Amino acid sequence: MHPEYILTLSCLDQRGIVHRVSGFLAEHGCNIIDSAQFGDPESKLFFMRVHFKLEDARVGDAALRADFATLCDAMQMNGQLHDAGYKPRVVLMVSKIGHCLNDL
């Protein structure tokens, strides 16, 4: 079974971010499962979330994280890699009115 990760990043919006990130993942033997991105015109910030699978057994977790940190430094991005298998404990609280939970 191949490990899965969630990559999140934010940075100033600039040309080529999606290309660089997807190219980085392809070069490291990763397969993108899902990707979402958003550019905020007011703040000029770009946000991206990528769910991917590491399919190349020759690329280890430590190397992937180190190389991603290098990419983040080169592009002045705030980025993180999370293990997709980790499910955090969450408490969801709403009022007694039914539409509150439905809205979430």
Side-chain angles (χ1 to χ4, degrees):
M1 181 150 182
H2 303 294
E4 294 185 16
Y5 295 87
I6 304 290
L7 174 156
T8 58
L9 64 86
S10 64
C11 62
L12 286 175
D13 202 355
Q14 56 189 297
R15 186 177 303 122
I17 300 169
V18 174
H19 174 74
R20 293 276 303 267
V21 172
S22 60
F24 167 83
L25 293 173
E27 290 169 4
H28 286 78
C30 301
N31 183 36
I32 295 173
I33 297 168
D34 182 56
S35 178
Q37 57 271 341
F38 172 74
D40 181 19
E42 286 186 29
S43 66
K44 306 279 193 261
L45 291 176
F46 179 82
F47 303 91
M48 186 173 189
R49 178 188 183 278
V50 182
H51 178 195
F52 66 93
K53 190 181 294 190
L54 177 59
E55 295 181 340
D56 188 344
R58 297 173 295 175
V59 178
D61 181 79
L64 181 68
R65 291 178 185 278
D67 291 349
F68 180 64
T70 301
L71 175 66
C72 288
D73 289 343
M75 295 192 66
Q76 299 177 343
M77 299 186 300
N78 296 318
Q80 298 177 335
L81 280 178
H82 303 280
D83 179 358
Y86 173 72
K87 303 296 182 202
R89 293 179 57 156
V90 176
V91 172
L92 182 62
M93 299 172 67
V94 296
S95 68
K96 292 180 182 180
I97 301 172
H99 72 82
C100 296
L101 182 57
N102 291 337
D103 288 346
L104 292 175

